[in-house]
Amino acid sequence: MNIFKIFSNLASMKHIVNLGVLIFYCLSLTPQKYVEVDGGYGFVVPHHADMWYYLKDHSFRFSMNYIVKRSSMLNQGNNIFKGLSLQYIKAGEKDLVGSSFGLAYNLRFPLERKKIFFLETRVGIEYNTIKYTEESFMFNALGTHLNALICIGLLGRFSFYRWEPFVHLSWNHYSNGAVTMPNLGLNIPILGVGIVYTFNQKPDSLVYGQNVRVPNLIDISISGSIKQRKYEGPHSPVFTLTLNKTFAFTQLSRWSGGLDFVYDQSIYDNLMLFKDTMVQSWDKLKIGYHLGWTYPVGWLEITLELGSYVKNFFFKKEQLFERLSYRYFFSERFGIYAALRAHYFKADVIEWGVICRL
């Protein structure tokens, strides 16, 4: 039995809410707390020709957020706001697309000193009430109920004493990272407004463990993934070796660049289904390069990367890739990470790996 289907059957809104309540309680033990409610209006981007016929309705998002500020006594990440988001998304016509319930870890990085404009990332899990089946064959965007949820946005706050309105523009994506087909995924830009309530502020007294930062960092990471290119087709392994070097940095963030070597067995497994297609072993290898921006939150690092390829069998369809990765270091040298790599905001693979820092 497919293990991903087992997890999908176990997932429910009740479990997501229970987990959210538990994390909300843990966050409430820290000072400088904010409660937010926001809503927004948008539409689904039909990035595939087969999606146009069922994306006939507009979309909206509603979310509740619990945010805390990291201690100002920290040397790294003292300007970061973190928290938890519970959200509901209606992507289109409910009978065809269903409803989406999500739980995400929220991080905000201020873009200027006054802390008015923020870059926000939300990463978590999403449960969609409808998936592709023989009965709902018209909906080919999601092959599983349980999916990865990623939201990247810009947020502007207007400062008042306790109540602070804000506006937000976000790109919301959820899919299973090509673990099970079909997996076109849903991409939903949202423009909306919200309001923040600020609790009584307590003086900073908490100091967390800090990851030591040094210039000219070199990272070597290795990851493994599972990928399916066609419905009921083979599940193929994907291995990625990434070399990354920091070339510019500040106390708050850093810029880096590097190379990616991707061994993608799914290229061979997929093309061998067509007898007139010749596939060489060399065709399984992708070689790419990327530019990335990283901001640290203690032992956690969040990286946004944009790259392309010097070698890719499917380069005509995959000229550019994006990657959002979360890296957690147990020491100054070693850590683990999870990342979503996508092509034009269509998920290609979820990467799970280890990282070594030189």
Side-chain angles (χ1 to χ4, degrees):
M1 182 179 294
N2 190 321
I3 189 171
F4 207 86
K5 292 182 179 179
I6 296 177
F7 282 112
S8 298
N9 293 332
L10 291 176
S12 67
M13 187 56 187
K14 179 181 179 181
H15 298 145
I16 294 177
V17 171
N18 289 340
L19 180 59
V21 170
L22 176 61
I23 300 179
F24 271 128
Y25 173 75
C26 295
L27 290 173
S28 67
L29 302 178
T30 61
Q32 297 185 282
K33 302 181 290 288
Y34 308 85
V35 174
E36 301 175 352
V37 176
D38 71 75
Y41 181 81
F43 57 93
V44 178
V45 177
H47 52 272
H48 193 279
D50 292 343
M51 302 177 71
W52 283 95
Y53 64 90
Y54 61 79
L55 298 178
K56 300 177 181 179
D57 200 357
H58 294 279
S59 307
F60 65 83
R61 186 188 81 177
F62 173 80
S63 68
M64 297 180 295
N65 313 308
Y66 192 98
I67 306 296
V68 299
K69 181 184 179 298
R70 300 194 80 230
S71 174
S72 299
M73 300 175 66
L74 298 173
N75 293 325
Q76 301 286 342
N78 56 18
N79 60 339
I80 300 295
F81 293 77
K82 63 179 182 178
L84 188 77
S85 297
L86 287 172
Q87 67 181 46
Y88 168 79
I89 295 179
K90 177 182 175 294
E93 189 174 342
K94 193 172 182 180
D95 292 338
L96 286 177
V97 181
S99 298
S100 168
F101 302 92
L103 172 65
Y105 181 59
N106 191 320
L107 286 170
R108 289 182 187 163
F109 181 89
L111 299 177
E112 36 73 49
R113 293 184 178 275
K114 293 183 179 180
K115 297 182 176 60
I116 297 176
F117 298 101
F118 295 83
L119 171 68
E120 179 182 74
T121 63
R122 300 183 183 184
V123 174
I125 55 175
E126 178 269 348
Y127 181 83
N128 206 73
T129 55
I130 294 180
K131 68 169 186 174
Y132 177 86
T133 62
E134 294 182 357
E135 291 76 22
S136 57
F137 62 91
M138 295 180 66
F139 181 57
N140 59 355
L142 300 173
T144 54
H145 284 300
L146 192 64
N147 301 279
L149 170 66
I150 293 178
C151 307
I152 300 177
L154 296 174
L155 185 145
R157 288 172 59 171
F158 304 94
S159 297
F160 294 94
Y161 175 61
R162 284 197 179 274
W163 297 94
E164 297 185 19
F166 64 90
V167 295
H168 63 88
L169 174 64
S170 63
W171 186 276
N172 303 265
H173 170 87
Y174 45 96
S175 67
N176 62 45
V179 173
T180 299
M181 287 286 112
N183 184 58
L184 293 178
L186 289 174
N187 296 302
I188 310 170
I190 294 289
L191 175 64
V193 297
I195 192 165
V196 182
Y197 177 77
T198 305
F199 288 91
N200 290 328
Q201 302 298 301
K202 298 179 181 179
D204 286 338
S205 60
L206 299 179
V207 177
Y208 304 90
Q210 290 291 283
N211 195 6
V212 178
R213 306 289 181 225
V214 294
N216 301 321
L217 297 173
I218 298 177
D219 295 335
I220 301 175
S221 58
I222 300 175
S223 70
S225 313
I226 297 295
K227 185 175 182 179
Q228 185 184 42
R229 284 188 175 268
K230 287 191 175 295
Y231 179 65
E232 295 185 342
H235 287 81
S236 310
V238 180
F239 300 99
T240 303
L241 170 66
T242 300
L243 307 177
N244 199 63
K245 179 176 174 58
T246 298
F247 59 82
F249 64 94
T250 67
Q251 185 179 3
L252 303 178
S253 63
R254 64 176 182 263
W255 290 91
S256 61
L259 299 174
D260 298 89
F261 301 89
V262 182
Y263 175 84
D264 191 344
Q265 178 66 28
S266 68
I267 295 176
Y268 177 84
D269 291 339
N270 184 46
L271 293 180
M272 285 302 293
L273 297 175
F274 304 95
K275 297 181 180 180
D276 58 345
T277 302
M278 299 298 295
V279 182
Q280 306 295 328
S281 297
W282 176 247
D283 294 330
K284 305 175 188 177
L285 180 65
K286 300 178 182 179
I287 302 177
Y289 56 92
H290 65 266
L291 177 69
W293 180 67
T294 300
Y295 62 91
V297 187
W299 297 99
L300 178 67
E301 295 183 355
I302 296 87
T303 300
L304 298 170
E305 294 174 343
L306 178 66
S308 185
Y309 299 95
V310 295
K311 181 188 180 302
N312 186 351
F313 189 86
F314 293 122
F315 185 78
K316 291 183 178 180
K317 296 182 178 180
E318 301 176 353
Q319 294 96 341
L320 295 175
F321 70 86
E322 312 87 40
R323 180 190 283 124
L324 171 65
S325 61
Y326 275 50
R327 307 171 180 177
Y328 187 84
F329 284 85
F330 297 104
S331 67
E332 296 179 16
R333 290 185 178 272
F334 300 102
I336 58 175
Y337 77 97
L340 178 67
R341 179 158 48 90
H343 297 105
Y344 299 107
F345 301 102
K346 182 181 182 299
D348 181 62
V349 70
I350 297 178
E351 302 173 341
W352 306 90
V354 295
I355 186 169
C356 176
R357 171 160 291 167
L358 305 180

